[in-house]
Amino acid sequence: MSDTAASPSAARLSVMIGLLLVTLCSWPRYQLGGYDTHSGLLAMVAAGLAVVIIAYWRRMTKKQRELLPARLKWLVVAFVAGGLIMALWHYGLASARTEWATVLSHGATAGLLLHAISTGWRARR
């Protein structure tokens, strides 16, 4: 493993931020469903992720920090695409209607998967 592969990168940080967003987008689903224990666990996971993200940010080089805004823009695009795909699926194709919190949670997850896979493909090129 080369030194640059082990150093903090904007791509990895954007995926971590996406994971934090998925955690936060999943929280209403469990809160509205009455799963207070799950909601509390998600809050603890979100707090832990926030600490890791801050520590990771502090270790990044200036060059990698400059690359982060472009990665975050792509993360937003991926989240919007994931949300649209899941809204189409749940409200257009699926036979049963679901709550908005479920669509939000599934859309965020699909968006993070899209972002992570495309980020990996870009790194391989």
Side-chain angles (χ1 to χ4, degrees), residues 47-67:
L49 280 168
V51 168
V52 170
I53 287 168
I54 291 168
Y56 199 82
W57 167 263
R58 293 181 59 136
R59 291 187 57 226
M60 287 174 58
T61 63
K62 184 178 180 200
K63 181 181 177 187
Q64 287 298 316
R65 288 183 185 178
E66 291 170 357
L67 296 174

Side-chain angles (χ1 to χ4, degrees), residues 38-92:
H38 290 80
S39 298
L41 289 172
L42 280 175
M44 286 187 265
V45 167
L49 280 168
V51 168
V52 170
I53 287 168
I54 291 168
Y56 199 82
W57 167 263
R58 293 181 59 136
R59 291 187 57 226
M60 287 174 58
T61 63
K62 184 178 180 200
K63 181 181 177 187
Q64 287 298 316
R65 288 183 185 178
E66 291 170 357
L67 296 174
L68 188 60
R71 300 290 184 171
L72 292 179
K73 286 178 189 173
W74 174 242
L75 178 65
V76 169
V77 169
F79 266 59
V80 169
L84 290 174
I85 291 167
M86 286 297 115
L88 176 67
W89 172 258
H90 284 292
Y91 296 131

Side-chain angles (χ1 to χ4, degrees), residues 9-22 49 53 56 68 71-72 74-75 79 111-120:
S9 71
R12 289 186 200 123
L13 184 61
S14 69
V15 172
M16 282 191 263
I17 291 170
L19 186 58
L20 176 61
L21 291 175
V22 167
L49 280 168
I53 287 168
Y56 199 82
L68 188 60
R71 300 290 184 171
L72 292 179
W74 174 242
L75 178 65
F79 266 59
L112 179 60
L113 285 171
L114 176 63
H115 175 70
I117 290 169
S118 65
T119 298

